[in-house]
Amino acid sequence: MPRFVRYLAPLAIFLALAGLLYKGLSLDPRKVPSPLIDKPAPLFSLTRLKQPEATLGTADLKGKVSLFNVWATWCVACRSEHPVLMQLAESGRVAIYGLNYKDDRAEAKRWLLRYGDPYIANAFDDDGRVGIDWGVYGTPETFIVDQQGIIRHKHIGPLTREVVRDEILPLVEKLEAGSG
Amino acid sequence: MKFLRTLLAALCFAWATAGLAGLEEFDFTGNVDEDHFKELIAELRCLVCQNQSLADSDAELAQDLRREVYDLMQQGQADGQIVDFLVTRYGDFVLYNPPVKPSTYVLWYGPFVLLAIGILFLIKTVRQRTRQTETTFSEQEQARLKAILGEEADEDNKSYGDKKA
């Protein structure tokens, strides 16, 4: 082994380790990859938030590209992403459905009156069981479901204008183009 | 003294209840074995407080998942089925004991690879050192060596003799 290789080896190992650790700094350990991506959306049927006599279920999400947003009035970050959802709803680029997760029905309705309602409809998940089926562990979470009812994307944490512009809308366009 | 005893008792109580977050709600008189239940939830990881198990965490999701595990046990599901239930929803992340599969090979076998590299390196170094001690000298060098050693031996003898004298 040439001498310089022997002297450079520790430097190379150090640089490789430093590179790995640097990458680790930018990873968010709270973002756990969902095993549900590219799997059919979990089956559910719950009462609607505003019309308790009607139900919202997996079948309602199919047939078009849908955005399924998990939120609650007790969730502070949901409040910050709400204007983004309102703007997205106004643009009409994607059908927005909600899962009102472990919330109070009256309070949730009041919230939508006060801040505006970007949702076509909300499923009211009282005990959080549907949330568990969707692998929800922290609100807000947002899923993109394609025309066949397959989950194509999951965003953990509040949606921002950048996330919508750079991740959500390009994916929606791609999925819409994909099925013609 | 009485105060100390009370304090001690309080501490013991705190110790005993720490790590058993909110199990009061469960009824273990039925077909769910309490120890078995505790064992299972201790092996599952809470997604909210990521360094706590489902048994330890006070997070609301952990409570919900404990209830889910309890209900599944009550339905007579095997541990494997219950673990699968959680893995299909939350991924391998919920397991403190990750399965062996291509994406975890580095995790499982990496340390052994590093150990093997270390052992190879050690063997190489040791061999090199033994080779260095077995250096052979040319005739000329041997003569010089003998001369030097001889001189030293003489000197040693001399000094030894001097001391003796």
Side-chain angles (χ1 to χ4, degrees):
Chain A
M1 203 196 301
R3 180 159 282 191
F4 77 94
V5 174
R6 201 190 289 177
Y7 288 134
L8 284 181
L11 181 67
I13 292 170
F14 167 75
L15 287 177
L17 195 63
L20 275 176
L21 292 174
Y22 184 74
K23 174 105 173 57
L25 279 180
S26 61
L27 294 176
D28 184 355
R30 300 213 145 263
K31 296 200 169 160
V32 182
S34 173
L36 293 167
I37 306 291
D38 294 332
K39 302 256 167 66
L43 288 176
F44 73 95
S45 180
L46 290 170
T47 62
R48 294 191 180 210
L49 176 66
K50 284 181 170 173
Q51 304 123 316
E53 65 287 350
T55 60
L56 183 73
T58 318
D60 296 298
L61 303 178
K62 287 186 194 171
K64 70 251 169 200
V65 180
S66 306
L67 184 149
F68 192 54
N69 177 247
V70 184
W71 66 285
T73 55
W74 46 260
C75 151
V76 182
C78 298
R79 176 72 194 89
S80 79
E81 80 166 358
H82 195 261
V84 179
L85 282 172
M86 287 302 290
Q87 208 181 32
L88 187 59
E90 270 164 37
S91 77
R93 301 277 293 274
V94 62
I96 303 179
Y97 291 92
L99 181 72
N100 185 228
Y101 179 67
K102 299 194 75 172
D103 210 344
D104 179 80
R105 199 186 280 270
E107 258 182 62
K109 282 204 259 186
R110 220 176 299 140
W111 153 297
L112 292 180
L113 271 178
R114 191 164 156 201
Y115 301 119
D117 184 357
Y119 306 101
I120 295 171
N122 263 290
F124 184 66
D125 188 16
D126 196 13
D127 57 6
R129 282 248 153 95
V130 170
I132 288 177
D133 284 344
W134 281 73
V136 170
Y137 64 88
T139 47
E141 288 184 14
T142 301
F143 297 85
I144 301 291
V145 181
D146 76 3
Q147 297 92 327
Q148 284 74 43
I150 311 284
I151 296 178
R152 291 301 182 188
H153 183 69
K154 178 183 184 182
H155 179 81
I156 296 155
L159 291 172
T160 60
R161 290 195 166 78
E162 290 72 34
V163 170
V164 168
R165 188 188 63 211
D166 301 335
E167 288 174 33
I168 305 293
L169 288 179
L171 179 66
V172 169
E173 272 162 29
K174 201 180 117 200
L175 291 174
E176 278 173 347
S179 88
Chain B
M1 196 60 206
K2 199 179 172 200
F3 168 75
L4 270 180
R5 209 180 292 166
T6 320
L7 188 72
L8 197 66
L11 276 176
C12 287
F13 184 71
W15 183 271
T17 51
L20 295 174
L23 288 190
E24 313 79 52
E25 60 169 311
F26 299 113
D27 170 25
F28 293 108
T29 54
N31 57 356
V32 178
D33 181 58
E34 186 171 353
D35 291 335
H36 185 190
F37 176 68
K38 281 181 189 162
E39 253 170 60
L40 187 56
I41 58 175
E43 280 171 25
L44 297 165
R45 187 173 175 185
C46 175
L47 288 109
V48 183
C49 309
Q50 297 189 339
N51 287 328
Q52 286 189 310
S53 70
L54 280 189
D56 298 331
S57 179
D58 265 326
E60 200 162 329
L61 180 71
Q63 284 172 30
D64 289 353
L65 290 178
R66 279 199 293 268
R67 166 133 302 271
E68 207 70 32
V69 170
Y70 178 87
D71 288 351
L72 291 172
M73 281 180 94
Q74 208 165 33
Q75 288 163 25
Q77 294 218 18
D79 288 3
Q81 286 172 296
I82 297 171
V83 168
D84 278 348
F85 172 90
L86 289 167
V87 169
T88 51
R89 284 159 180 76
Y90 293 101
D92 290 335
F93 191 91
V94 293
L95 306 173
Y96 267 124
N97 196 1
V100 181
K101 57 184 197 181
S103 65
T104 58
Y105 281 171
V106 174
L107 184 71
W108 280 103
Y109 304 123
F112 296 108
V113 172
L114 287 179
L115 185 69
I117 291 172
I119 289 173
L120 283 178
F121 198 74
L122 185 72
I123 290 172
K124 215 186 136 203
T125 318
V126 168
R127 273 202 188 150
Q128 228 164 26
R129 293 232 173 120
T130 20
R131 217 179 302 137
Q132 268 167 5
T133 51
E134 285 167 4
T135 328
T136 48
F137 298 104
S138 66
E139 257 176 54
Q140 222 178 344
E141 281 170 328
Q142 266 175 344
R144 242 188 103 201
L145 187 68
K146 233 176 228 172
I148 295 167
L149 286 177
E151 273 167 29
E152 274 183 8
D154 285 348
E155 268 169 33
D156 280 355
N157 280 346
K158 219 186 279 166
S159 60
Y160 183 67
D162 285 348
K163 259 183 204 160
K164 214 180 176 183

